[in-house]
Amino acid sequence: MQPDDLHLHLRDGDILKAVVASTARVFRRAVVMPNLKPPITSVKQAIKYRERILSAIPDRINFTPLMMLYLTDHLSKEVIETGYKEGVFFGAKLYPANSTTNSSDGVTDIRKIDSLLETMQSIGMPLLIHGEVTDLDVDVFDREAYFIERTLIPLLSRYPSLKVVLEHITTKEAVEFVENNKGKLGATITPHHLHINRNSMFDGGIRSDFYCLPIAKREKHRIALRKAATSGEPCFFLGTDSAPHLRNFKENSCGCAGIFNAAFALESYLEVFDQENALDKFESFSSIFGAKFYGLPLNSERITIVKSPQLIPNFLEVKQNDKIIERIVHFHAGKILEWSVVSSYSIVQSKL
Ligand code: DOR
Ligand code: ZN
């Protein structure tokens, strides 16, 4: 059955036009992150953004973007109520202020959004969380574990029936915490955190292509994530966190966080499930558990995947008026992946 990507960055403008088909050719729906510049904080902005996404999708492709609201300290309850009841917002995203890309308008103190969370709980609107503290006393590799202790545990006890997803989990602690709170808490797992550990960022030099947030952790955490993803536990589901940045913003003295994995995401996950002898668990992870957690109908469409190796190109081209202006590096660039999605729609990739 066709999968959903329950955590995706599509950006806007030329980048949106370049990347959206990568997702839409494989995934039936995607939860689209609101951390644009400026962020999506109103119903009107979300409607307009959804229109731009839909008009960037190639003809004949059936794809539904599920829009997210960006929480800020000063947002009104009315935006939440109206946007959710009118079916514009699928959920709201909590970015602790300055935790990641375009999060400077995020929440500075969780207690400042108590009334918003209260409203979300009462109307059944899901809260999706970037789970990292930003306190300067906390090491960057410990930010997720501290978030669970300092913010998430109190939050879950204050709002016992709020539907919460801890996004892109990266640690053994998060895996255990989600398992112990399954039912009310779900978690997405990215392909990159299943493949790389923190050494990958320093393999022979500094490799900004593997820099993302939350940052990749030690090998024991990667192993715990692979076990969780392939466990068959319904609380763990697919969310790529594909986060495209132009080449020159990654390869920079202050490179951006984010890995663009959308074009070969399914193949990337499949490689892991195959290596873990868990191909029988793949469909539930990619197409069932997330939809069930959110109460979405299961997709009726199907896709075909075959064990047929393919060389992953280095770049996706970004065009402006048909002229190539920039490139985005693919995750697994220049490597061979063992699986392929068979699709009638193919994307022209740069081999350079
Ligand atoms: O690596 C990341 N990139 N993590 C995030 O949380 C945001 C994302 C982005 O938007 O670039
Ligand atoms: Zn993200």
Side-chain angles (χ1 to χ4, degrees):
M1 154 189 334
Q2 200 174 358
D4 298 313
D5 183 351
L6 297 169
H7 183 128
L8 175 69
H9 299 268
L10 285 175
R11 315 299 190 207
D12 215 340
D14 295 326
I15 301 189
L16 166 65
K17 288 182 191 140
V19 302
V20 72
S22 297
T23 293
R25 66 183 267 274
V26 175
F27 295 95
R28 178 64 186 79
R29 298 172 288 214
V31 175
V32 179
M33 291 299 133
N35 61 332
L36 302 185
K37 253 182 176 172
I40 304 293
T41 53
S42 74
V43 180
K44 209 168 144 192
Q45 277 174 300
I47 292 173
K48 292 257 169 241
Y49 184 33
R50 186 169 60 188
E51 282 168 11
R52 294 197 294 281
I53 295 170
L54 290 172
S55 63
I57 295 168
D59 291 346
R60 297 181 292 112
I61 295 190
N62 224 351
F63 174 73
T64 307
L66 304 168
M67 308 310 290
M68 292 292 295
L69 170 67
Y70 182 113
L71 295 175
T72 71
D73 288 354
H74 307 293
L75 207 68
S76 74
K77 282 198 290 196
E78 288 66 45
V79 180
I80 291 189
E81 278 164 350
T82 320
Y84 189 65
K85 285 181 185 159
E86 287 181 359
V88 177
F89 291 125
F90 175 73
K93 179 76 188 271
L94 166 64
Y95 287 107
N98 304 316
S99 55
T100 186
T101 309
N102 297 342
S103 61
S104 55
D105 295 309
V107 174
T108 58
D109 176 351
I110 189 85
R111 301 310 303 250
K112 290 195 175 163
I113 59 163
D114 270 338
S115 72
L116 304 182
L117 298 175
E118 191 80 62
T119 307
M120 289 173 64
Q121 176 172 257
S122 70
I123 62 177
M125 182 179 187
L127 174 70
L128 282 65
I129 299 183
H130 182 104
E132 290 194 284
V133 296
T134 53
D135 311 44
L136 292 175
D137 63 320
V138 178
D139 189 278
V140 67
F141 292 97
D142 298 331
R143 285 179 171 183
E144 184 176 273
Y146 273 78
F147 182 89
I148 293 171
E149 292 300 318
R150 289 184 183 177
T151 311
L152 189 55
I153 293 175
L155 183 127
L156 293 178
S157 76
R158 283 202 304 282
Y159 303 100
S161 51
L162 183 63
K163 198 177 273 185
V164 180
V165 177
L166 187 56
E167 297 288 335
H168 41 53
I169 56 169
T170 59
T171 55
K172 194 166 176 285
E173 288 85 349
V175 166
E176 286 163 6
F177 186 76
V178 174
E179 264 170 357
N180 292 334
N181 288 275
K182 55 188 168 200
K184 61 175 165 180
L185 184 61
T188 50
I189 303 181
T190 76
H192 41 279
H193 290 110
L194 298 173
H195 281 277
I196 61 169
N197 62 25
R198 64 189 198 172
N199 289 344
S200 313
M201 284 179 292
F202 308 104
D203 185 9
I206 208 148
R207 292 187 181 263
S208 57
D209 291 332
F210 297 135
Y211 173 54
C212 62
L213 288 170
I215 202 158
K217 309 292 192 300
R218 287 178 183 276
E219 180 63 1
K220 69 171 184 187
H221 297 290
R222 187 180 76 99
I223 291 170
L225 291 169
R226 287 170 75 104
K227 282 217 164 69
T230 58
S231 65
E233 283 284 357
C235 52
F236 301 115
F237 40 88
L238 186 156
T240 63
D241 196 20
S242 178
H245 289 281
L246 299 179
R247 183 86 197 108
N248 62 338
F249 290 110
K250 287 289 287 175
E251 218 172 56
N252 188 300
S253 62
C254 187
C256 296
I259 295 178
F260 174 62
N261 60 34
F264 302 96
L266 214 66
E267 292 89 334
S268 179
Y269 282 116
L270 273 160
E271 187 115 337
V272 173
F273 277 71
D274 198 0
Q275 287 164 358
E276 299 287 329
N277 290 318
L279 286 171
D280 58 325
K281 305 274 180 9
F282 186 66
E283 189 175 37
S284 16
F285 174 79
S286 58
S287 313
I288 299 174
F289 292 158
K292 284 205 166 156
F293 183 89
Y294 283 120
L296 292 168
L298 297 183
N299 295 323
S300 51
E301 301 86 348
R302 302 181 82 81
I303 53 161
T304 306
I305 45 184
V306 288
K307 190 156 187 180
S308 163
Q310 59 173 321
L311 175 64
I312 306 305
N314 289 339
F315 302 104
L316 178 79
E317 290 161 351
V318 179
K319 294 182 183 160
Q320 200 172 58
N321 306 324
D322 287 336
K323 194 167 160 270
I324 298 167
I325 50 160
E326 249 293 7
R327 298 182 299 185
I328 297 168
V329 174
H330 286 292
F331 185 46
H332 300 297
K335 298 273 183 320
I336 288 175
L337 288 178
E338 294 299 318
W339 289 81
S340 300
V341 176
V342 181
S343 167
S344 54
Y345 183 83
S346 71
I347 298 163
V348 180
Q349 310 279 352
S350 164
K351 302 254 185 274
L352 300 171

